[in-house]
Amino acid sequence: EDKVVQSPLSLVVHEGDTVTLNCSYEVTNFRSLLWYKQEKKAPTFLFMLTSSGIEKKSGRLSSILDKKELFSILNITATQTGDSAIYLCAVGYNTDKLIFGTGTRLQVFP
Amino acid sequence: ETGVTQTPRHLVMGMTNKKSLKCEQHLGHNAMYWYKQSAKKPLELMFVYSLEERVENNSVPSRFSPECPNSSHLFLHLHTLQPEDSALYLCASSQERGQGNEKLFFGSGTQLSVL
C-alpha cells in the first residue's frame, strides 16, 4: 500500500529554536516529493525535490531528499512565531498520483 | 493570494439541504482538483478534471457531484450530506495533470459543517 508518514505529529518550540520535520514514504515509481505550509486554510508550496542529496533552500527553510532511504527532512532554523503552521508532505508517484501525509503541526511560542 | 478563490469560506447545512461550493482559478491552468481534509487525516483526493473532463473519481459517494463548465471554474454540488462529511474542502489547480505537474495551487477552502 502506498503511504506517506510524517513525524512528529506535533511540535512545540520557542522562537529561535531549530526544528527538523520528517517525511518517509513507500510508493511505486516515485517521481517527486513536495512540502507545503498550511497556516490557516490554504496550503502553500514550499519545495519540490526529485533528486537525492540536493538541498533546496529558501531563507531559513531547507529540505533534502534521500531516495535510497525513502525520506525527506524539512529544517527550519531560528524559528519565528510566523512559522507556526501545519507542514504537509506529499509524494508524486506512478503516472499521475499524489499522496499526502497527515502533516506536522508546529507551534512556535515567543 | 494563490490565484485560486473558493466560496463560501464557511457553510453550515442540514442533511436535507442542497448547496454548492465554487472554485475559480486565475492561473491559466488546465487541471483542477477537489480535496477533502478531515481532522488528523491526510488530504483525500475526491475528483480531478483535466481540460474540463473528469479524469478521476476516487470512490466518492454520489451525494457529492462535481461540475467543471470551463477550465477556470469548478463546482462541488452537495445534497443529502451526512454529519461525517463535515470537513474542509479544498480546491486546487495545476498547469496540467500528471508527471511534472505535482505542484498544486490551493484555495483557502470551504469549512463545511453538516448538522
Side-chain angles (χ1 to χ4, degrees), chain A residues 7-104:
Chain A
S7 64
L9 291 180
S10 66
L11 195 54
V12 179
V13 300
H14 286 101
E15 274 191 319
D17 289 350
T18 293
V19 298
T20 298
L21 310 183
N22 303 287
C23 176
S24 63
Y25 61 89
E26 290 181 32
V27 299
T28 309
N29 298 322
F30 171 90
R31 290 185 287 110
S32 61
L33 187 144
L34 301 95
W35 285 98
Y36 288 88
K37 178 182 181 182
Q38 187 175 22
E39 285 183 81
K40 290 180 181 177
K41 299 296 185 188
T44 54
F45 173 81
L46 294 174
F47 299 111
M48 184 165 90
L49 305 113
T50 56
S51 301
S52 279
I54 298 175
E55 185 183 53
K56 292 279 182 93
K57 197 170 173 66
S58 176
R60 296 176 293 102
L61 278 67
S62 63
S63 183
I64 197 161
L65 173 67
D66 186 328
K67 290 168 70 174
K68 182 179 177 184
E69 300 297 329
L70 309 182
F71 77 93
S72 172
I73 59 171
L74 175 67
N75 278 321
I76 307 175
T77 59
T79 51
Q80 302 171 358
T81 54
D83 295 325
S84 296
I86 297 173
Y87 290 84
L88 300 172
C89 174
V91 173
Y93 67 104
N94 283 340
T95 306
D96 55 10
K97 302 296 184 188
L98 187 67
I99 184 172
F100 282 82
T102 52
T104 293

Side-chain angles (χ1 to χ4, degrees), chain B:
Chain B
E1 280 297 325
T2 62
V4 180
T5 304
Q6 286 187 245
T7 56
R9 298 294 290 269
H10 303 273
L11 179 62
V12 179
M13 59 187 289
M15 289 190 284
T16 58
N17 292 158
K18 289 184 180 181
K19 297 286 184 182
S20 295
L21 309 185
K22 179 183 176 182
C23 176
E24 183 175 359
Q25 57 98 358
H26 310 275
L27 301 168
H29 289 168
N30 289 322
M32 295 187 76
Y33 310 76
W34 279 116
Y35 279 90
K36 177 183 178 182
Q37 188 176 31
S38 304
K40 298 183 180 180
K41 294 175 81 172
L43 266 71
E44 300 172 51
L45 179 64
M46 300 175 72
F47 301 104
V48 183
Y49 277 82
S50 178
L51 295 170
E52 301 149 47
E53 179 182 341
R54 189 190 310 182
V55 295
E56 190 162 342
N57 173 355
N58 277 2
S59 303
V60 179
S62 59
R63 57 186 183 268
F64 295 91
S65 175
E67 178 190 0
C68 187
N70 55 63
S71 59
S72 298
H73 293 86
L74 186 64
F75 295 89
L76 188 62
H77 303 299
L78 316 171
H79 64 98
T80 58
L81 294 191
Q82 304 298 310
E84 60 264 29
D85 297 321
S86 299
L88 179 68
Y89 289 84
L90 289 164
C91 173
S93 70
S94 65
Q95 186 65 53
E96 303 288 347
R97 171 80 169 139
Q99 189 169 353
N101 291 280
E102 297 89 348
K103 182 179 176 181
L104 303 180
F105 294 77
F106 286 90
S108 296
T110 294
Q111 187 67 56
L112 174 66
S113 297
V114 181
L115 304 178

